Amino acid sequence: MFTGIVTDLGEIVSLENTGDLRARIRSSYDMTTVDIGASIAHAGVCLTIIATGPDWYEVQISGETVSKTNIGDWAVGKRINLERALKVGDELGGHIVSGHVDGVAEITAMVDEGESTRFTFRAPEALAKYIAPKGSVALDGCSLTVNEVDGCSFGINFIPHTKAVTSFGASKVGDKVNLEIDTLARYVARLTEWKA
């Protein structure tokens, strides 16, 4: 489990397709505290650490995961949001995030509002019903509050701090982002459908 509070901006230093995708990520995490088998969220995708070095670690990503996320767009040099798994007693600053991506949303507009930037995203139609104004979503692993919703489109305001410490500072219209809907919204919708 994760909180959606990004704790590092990692850099992809190598990608190797071996049937699965093997990625080496440079990180500022203290590698002496990262165990083989540990879980780290990568742009919102929970992946298992399979090797470590002085300032890097490696993950192996199945074809299924690549096909359901934006990992197929990864390239050497790309910066990605990282978050280590939640420990009992840690501050829950965002919302409960599983690291299991539900789909991929697209950035359709970016408009500066003061020092902040309003992003508009288009969600897959099957997921749009789970996104509500003032509700939470995780986008590329960031816990964010939804400002408004219009059909499959929804808006989020990014303050300068969020743009500075996450990959959203380098975003552009057309980028695909991993979307994880709020777990509570998923269960409320399921209960509503069950009674119908």
Side-chain angles (χ1 to χ4, degrees):
M1 300 301 287
F2 305 92
T3 66
I5 303 298
V6 172
T7 55
D8 192 19
L9 199 51
E11 180 184 357
I12 300 168
V13 293
S14 69
L15 293 166
E16 180 184 5
N17 197 332
T18 60
D20 286 335
L21 182 63
R22 188 174 179 125
R24 180 173 287 189
I25 312 294
R26 182 177 294 122
S27 170
S28 64
Y29 291 144
D30 177 356
M31 287 301 126
T32 65
T33 68
V34 176
D35 295 329
I36 303 299
S39 295
I40 295 179
H42 300 74
V45 182
C46 179
L47 299 172
T48 302
I49 308 310
I50 61 168
T52 61
D55 65 347
W56 58 266
Y57 61 85
E58 291 185 349
V59 293
Q60 189 171 6
I61 310 157
S62 72
E64 171 73 8
T65 299
V66 172
S67 74
K68 302 288 191 233
T69 66
N70 69 2
I71 292 175
D73 295 337
W74 283 10
V76 171
K78 181 176 177 67
R79 305 295 301 269
I80 56 172
N81 299 322
L82 302 177
E83 182 187 358
R84 294 183 70 174
L86 185 63
K87 296 180 190 147
V88 173
D90 283 353
E91 180 179 336
L92 183 59
H95 71 282
I96 295 293
V97 176
S98 68
H100 302 159
V101 170
D102 294 296
V104 176
E106 179 182 356
I107 300 172
T108 58
M110 296 169 61
V111 177
D112 289 335
E113 294 181 356
E115 294 180 44
S116 299
T117 304
R118 176 71 55 113
F119 284 55
T120 302
F121 298 88
R122 184 174 44 248
E125 189 171 340
L127 299 177
K129 67 181 177 181
Y130 299 107
I131 301 171
K134 307 309 175 198
S136 297
V137 292
L139 296 174
D140 273 358
C142 297
S143 173
L144 297 161
T145 302
V146 176
N147 289 55
E148 72 277 333
V149 177
D150 181 13
C152 291
S153 293
F154 63 98
I156 291 180
N157 195 42
F158 286 81
I159 62 171
H161 172 78
T162 304
K163 291 188 294 183
V165 300
T166 71
S167 62
F168 285 102
S171 292
K172 58 191 181 309
V173 171
D175 284 353
K176 305 288 195 284
V177 297
N178 294 321
L179 167 64
E180 181 181 329
I181 59 171
D182 183 50
T183 300
L184 181 59
R186 180 191 332 266
Y187 285 112
V188 168
R190 177 64 177 140
L191 286 169
T192 303
E193 290 168 1
W194 185 261
K195 290 182 179 183

